[in-house]
Amino acid sequence: MIHEKVTKLLYGGDYNPEQWPEETWEEDMRITNLADMDIMTINVFSWAMLQPNESAFDFSQLDKVMDLLHQENRLACLATATAVHPAWMAKKYPDVLRVDFDGKKRKFGLRHNSCPNSPSYRRFTSSLVEKLAARYQHHPALALWHVSNEFGGDCYCEKCEEAFRIWLKEKYGSLAEVNKAWNTRFWGHVFYEWDEIVVPNNLSEHLGSYDYTAFQGISLDYRRFNSDSMLDCFKMERDILKHWTPDIHVTTNFMGAYKPLDYQKWAGEIDIISWDSYPAVNSPASLNAMNHDLMRGLKQGQPFMLMEQTPSVTNWHSYNALKRPGEMRLQSYQAVAHGADSVMFFQIRRSIGACEKFHGAVIDHVGHEHTRVFQECAQLGRELTQLGDLLVDAIVPAKVAIVFDWDNWWALELSSGPSRDLKYIDEVWKYYHAFYTQNVPVDLISVKDSVNHYSIVIAPVLYMTKKGFAEKIEKFTESGGTFVTTFFSGIVDEHDLVITGGYPGELRRLLGIWVEETDALPPGKINQIKMTEEGTVYEGALLCDLLHTEGALVVAEYGSDFYKGMPAVTKNAYGKGEAWYIASSMDEAFMDNLAATLCKKRQIKPLLGVKAPAGIEVMQRQKKENTYTFILNHNETEQKVQIDKQYRNILTNAVFEQEVILIPYDVLILQEELS
Ligand code: GLA
Ligand code: ZN
């Protein structure tokens, strides 16, 4: 529950009245009212206006905006304004400025630009947040705190370097342990004093790029440290806000599968997850679906907020295509189908200057409501009002889980060998997409989450096995679960140190195999994957593990090269369950078949009974005894979908049986019609 006053899916977005004369505000309220909007995110980039210099504060404009929102019956998602420091601060206290990956000290500019370990930034941040919280703690419009904005990036300044050494001391206790964890005898890197340790960037361990390091252990710890440093900034603000308003939820907007921050660690410190969804024009709908599920998984399935999306167009992709009529509505319901309890936009009114002046908005430069985009926003607003509280707090039920781990992501892509083309998200998405096309909901979970209530757990390229994971999965499989993992899994421990004695390390016994070598295939090269029973041939690419069975059954073997005939897919009976190993990055047909086979075995039926046509997404949310099935048409064409029962579309009250017809970008929310 976002706030006790909330009895529907929230609707609104980022509102920047500080960029406009006050006369415009009333008009903004009038127009957004026509779209049934009820929440505005305000004050995101206002620090320079709230604090014109070191000792002066001016909340007069924010007071007016807060009062206006209340008067207009809107809720405020009140940002703390710390996402960009004022120019005067950078001039007077240059420690707030970041040093970039190349070692260059930045000047004032851009946003999200403060060093997270800068004493001045932290001091000024806490003083501003104290004042904000004290001032608005009882304000009736206040519904939610929005800390900073899209935390991210990294810093390599001297303050960060000092803080890194302290972080290491706390983590490892002694330099001896640090040396061990980083294997510093390699290339004679042994450290004898803490201040010999420097930040890993292009001036030290890296060779031109973020993922190209000589010392994975050092770079990996720096990623963890950088994520923790930003999290400390978040926690500092949150603690102040909680002190003044213990009952108001605190969030900060995430960015989906955003690499620099370990959101799974952050999630424990946040009341409600919110995120900004900006799919690129050609990105598959299933990738966006996966991002939603990743965000829902951060708090073990708790509904999240769609904090931002564009109503029509972005400005920062290379090609900023318009969302086609119906597409914004479709993407909004896609978020809701995956667990969002809000639909919010960036931005309410389109700015006139600087880089976002061509970014879509609810109210365009023309200034009135008679636009295609506004009319679509208004229609959606009415629908969300009509839906009332039906979907609020409803959960998404899933029997399949995919394990996702930020440390693994970092370590995998920092790895020097076996292939530069190995990308974590691509491989995770392959597995996600395979179940998505079966209309089978998936949870994305962390390595720490409980797996007991799932039938199938998949850990794609789980290169790093953290303490306790293998035992947990052994128990899960033993008691009847199906576990699936892939090539290049079980290789290293949490320090990126290889687990010796045969790959896949701690997973070897469970999988009943030994991986002896790994072959990297250059782009365009494949190996055939021949199913031993059916004889069907698929293709594997990217990496091919050369393995020997140690009890596992061979499901498929390689069809060419010197390892022709060696196992390419195995399954191992373990207790009451099975553990599968997929030794290469398989083609879509193989993935499709694998997902279908596993679901059939585990009696996981596609939602609506059958696999839907391509581009049709089916998802479900449940609340008490009610189940809502979403059918989303991502195609530009009309589609027919078979249904298994009689259903009513709760958006239109139309009743269907046997089949439904969806126009391009259509959305249906079906509830079983009990006759
Ligand atoms: C992000 C930010 C917003 C805005 C949008 C533009 O999500 O949070 O302030 O810049 O991008 O797409
Ligand atoms: Zn710094």
Side-chain angles (χ1 to χ4, degrees):
M1 175 76 60
I2 298 168
H3 185 269
E4 58 188 16
K5 284 190 197 157
V6 177
T7 52
K8 64 178 279 284
L9 301 174
L10 285 172
Y11 194 46
D14 272 42
Y15 180 43
N16 300 308
E18 65 280 359
Q19 295 180 24
W20 298 91
E22 282 186 34
E23 307 83 77
T24 325
W25 303 359
E26 294 287 337
E27 186 62 357
D28 294 333
M29 293 298 127
R30 183 190 71 78
I31 297 177
T32 51
N33 199 32
L34 298 173
D36 276 13
M37 290 193 168
D38 36 44
I39 186 161
M40 307 266 152
T41 304
I42 53 167
N43 202 42
V44 181
F45 299 111
S46 304
W47 199 345
M49 285 72 86
L50 296 176
Q51 195 176 358
N53 60 53
E54 191 168 346
S55 46
F57 286 88
D58 178 5
F59 291 97
S60 56
Q61 205 184 45
L62 186 55
D63 287 351
K64 282 189 200 164
V65 174
M66 286 292 280
D67 292 349
L68 178 69
L69 292 185
H70 176 55
Q71 182 193 311
E72 294 282 335
N73 215 6
R74 312 294 163 87
L75 300 172
C77 172
L78 183 54
T80 56
T82 54
V84 53
H85 51 241
W88 60 257
M89 197 184 291
K91 181 176 137 193
K92 195 158 173 200
Y93 300 94
D95 66 288
V96 302
L97 295 165
R98 287 184 184 178
V99 169
D100 71 15
F101 190 65
D102 290 320
K104 294 194 301 291
K105 176 91 174 164
R106 302 283 313 180
K107 292 195 173 196
F108 175 72
L110 299 173
R111 61 174 178 175
H112 310 147
N113 48 3
S114 315
C115 162
N117 289 299
S118 149
S120 308
Y121 175 70
R122 291 200 179 192
R123 178 164 55 87
F124 283 119
T125 293
S126 51
S127 99
L128 176 71
V129 176
E130 280 282 351
K131 289 199 167 53
L132 264 177
R135 190 170 190 94
Y136 299 108
Q137 56 173 318
H138 299 304
H139 199 289
L142 176 65
L144 184 71
W145 288 110
H146 178 296
V147 171
S148 189
N149 189 66
E150 294 188 337
F151 276 100
D154 45 17
C155 181
Y156 299 88
C157 75
E158 279 177 13
K159 293 283 178 227
C160 284
E161 197 162 70
E162 284 161 22
F164 182 45
R165 293 173 191 141
I166 294 168
W167 184 93
L168 291 169
K169 259 185 217 165
E170 275 166 19
K171 176 169 178 174
Y172 292 103
S174 69
L175 265 178
E177 285 302 310
V178 175
N179 281 314
K180 204 162 107 195
W182 291 351
N183 199 34
T184 53
R185 284 171 178 248
F186 177 76
W187 286 2
H189 270 47
V190 182
F191 299 110
Y192 294 98
E193 305 274 351
W194 286 99
D195 61 4
E196 290 163 7
I197 295 174
V198 297
V199 292
N201 65 359
N202 259 344
L203 299 178
S204 53
E205 299 297 355
H206 283 252
L207 296 156
S209 97
Y210 193 60
D211 277 334
Y212 206 160
T213 176
F215 269 82
Q216 280 71 21
I218 305 181
S219 299
L220 180 61
D221 269 338
Y222 202 74
R223 301 247 164 120
R224 290 168 170 149
F225 157 77
N226 181 64
S227 175
D228 283 359
S229 298
M230 307 240 171
L231 180 55
D232 283 345
C233 292
F234 171 83
K235 279 157 63 180
M236 183 184 78
E237 292 200 33
R238 181 212 51 200
D239 290 347
I240 298 169
L241 299 169
K242 284 287 174 193
H243 167 80
W244 290 97
T245 54
D247 299 329
I248 299 286
H249 283 345
V250 179
T251 190
T252 182
N253 45 348
F254 285 168
M255 292 172 274
Y258 176 69
K259 194 171 170 188
L261 302 184
D262 180 352
Y263 287 154
Q264 286 166 336
K265 190 164 183 192
W266 280 60
E269 306 291 342
I270 287 174
D271 293 326
I272 182 156
I273 301 298
S274 63
W275 86 284
D276 303 342
S277 172
Y278 292 97
V281 98
N282 295 325
S283 81
S286 60
L287 186 60
N288 213 36
M290 183 173 98
N291 272 301
H292 287 306
D293 290 349
L294 180 64
M295 296 294 97
R296 186 184 72 247
L298 293 177
K299 286 187 94 65
Q300 294 73 42
Q302 178 187 295
F304 60 91
M305 293 176 73
L306 177 64
M307 183 60 83
E308 290 180 26
Q309 65 168 347
T310 177
S312 58
V313 72
T314 53
N315 63 286
W316 48 267
H317 284 299
S318 305
Y319 309 100
N320 297 289
L322 298 175
K323 289 190 182 175
R324 276 31 206 167
E327 210 176 347
M328 177 278 289
R329 175 174 178 266
L330 171 72
Q331 290 180 352
S332 304
Y333 281 120
Q334 186 187 33
V336 173
H338 285 266
D341 273 4
S342 75
V343 173
M344 293 163 71
F345 299 109
F346 180 87
Q347 53 193 331
I348 298 296
R349 188 182 273 272
R350 208 174 221 195
S351 40
I352 58 163
C355 67
E356 285 177 351
K357 62 179 174 299
F358 298 125
H359 192 289
V362 174
I363 306 172
D364 212 329
H365 287 148
V366 71
H368 59 56
E369 67 268 34
H370 309 292
T371 60
R372 172 186 75 89
V373 170
F374 182 80
Q375 294 308 321
E376 290 193 33
C377 292
Q379 184 206 336
L380 178 60
R382 284 190 292 273
E383 286 180 3
L384 297 179
T385 302
Q386 180 205 323
L387 284 173
D389 69 348
L390 288 185
L391 292 158
V392 175
D393 282 334
I395 57 135
V396 175
K399 297 306 282 173
V400 178
I402 293 182
V403 174
F404 190 95
D405 183 59
W406 257 265
D407 283 303
N408 184 59
W409 188 1
W410 294 331
L412 187 75
E413 292 181 11
L414 281 167
S415 171
S416 188
S419 171
R420 276 276 143 207
D421 287 349
L422 174 56
K423 297 285 175 240
Y424 189 43
I425 300 294
D426 292 355
E427 299 307 316
V428 172
W429 173 74
K430 264 192 180 188
Y431 283 83
Y432 182 87
H433 181 75
F435 286 89
Y436 170 95
T437 53
Q438 302 289 327
N439 303 340
V440 169
V442 171
D443 279 345
L444 273 96
I445 63 170
S446 84
V447 292
K448 288 193 187 139
D449 286 331
S450 151
V451 289
N452 297 336
H453 51 293
Y454 296 109
S455 302
I456 302 175
V457 172
I458 306 163
V461 277
L462 196 68
Y463 165 74
M464 176 184 285
T465 34
K466 291 182 175 171
K467 268 200 194 80
F469 181 77
E471 296 88 84
K472 179 165 71 181
I473 293 298
E474 279 182 4
K475 276 199 196 116
F476 163 79
T477 314
E478 207 162 17
S479 53
T482 301
F483 176 65
V484 182
T485 190
T486 73
F487 59 94
F488 212 46
S489 292
I491 311 285
V492 297
D493 68 8
E494 310 196 28
H495 304 301
D496 198 57
L497 293 174
V498 169
I499 299 164
T500 51
Y503 312 133
E506 295 185 357
L507 299 171
R508 184 170 167 190
R509 188 175 55 178
L510 169 65
L511 293 159
I513 55 164
W514 166 45
V515 175
E516 187 179 348
E517 293 177 276
T518 299
D519 192 21
L521 310 190
K525 192 169 175 205
I526 59 109
N527 199 317
Q528 289 88 30
I529 306 293
K530 200 170 158 205
M531 303 302 281
T532 38
E533 264 181 30
E534 309 89 305
T536 329
V537 179
Y538 300 103
E539 290 182 352
L542 189 71
L543 292 182
C544 293
D545 277 348
L546 279 56
L547 63 94
H548 309 275
T549 55
E550 295 176 332
L553 252 164
V554 179
V555 177
E557 57 188 42
Y558 291 114
S560 56
D561 221 319
F562 76 93
Y563 44 94
K564 178 177 175 182
M566 282 182 89
V569 177
T570 59
K571 70 175 174 194
N572 193 34
Y574 195 86
K576 293 188 203 144
E578 265 177 5
W580 289 64
Y581 193 77
I582 317 294
S584 182
S585 185
M586 303 301 193
D587 62 10
E588 202 174 334
F590 174 91
M591 296 303 297
D592 198 46
N593 186 274
L594 177 71
T597 306
L598 295 178
C599 286
K600 198 162 162 212
K601 271 195 158 187
R602 301 310 317 269
Q603 289 163 346
I604 300 171
K605 294 218 173 68
L607 298 178
L608 295 176
V610 286
K611 191 178 161 180
I616 292 287
E617 177 175 344
V618 187
M619 274 300 287
Q620 226 166 48
R621 285 185 78 172
Q622 280 174 356
K623 187 169 169 178
K624 296 187 192 126
E625 64 283 359
N626 296 313
T627 299
Y628 303 97
T629 306
F630 291 70
I631 312 186
L632 310 165
N633 182 11
H634 294 282
N635 300 291
E636 291 171 7
T637 51
E638 191 177 284
Q639 298 289 322
K640 267 188 205 148
V641 177
Q642 306 303 315
I643 51 176
D644 52 350
K645 295 183 190 121
Q646 199 178 57
Y647 290 99
R648 189 171 52 87
N649 178 7
I650 62 170
L651 294 168
T652 59
N653 276 324
V655 174
F656 304 98
E657 57 190 317
Q658 289 177 350
E659 72 173 25
V660 290
I661 293 180
L662 291 100
I663 60 168
Y665 304 119
D666 206 359
V667 175
L668 307 181
I669 308 178
L670 302 182
Q671 194 176 13
E672 199 179 327
E673 183 79 343
L674 301 169
S675 42

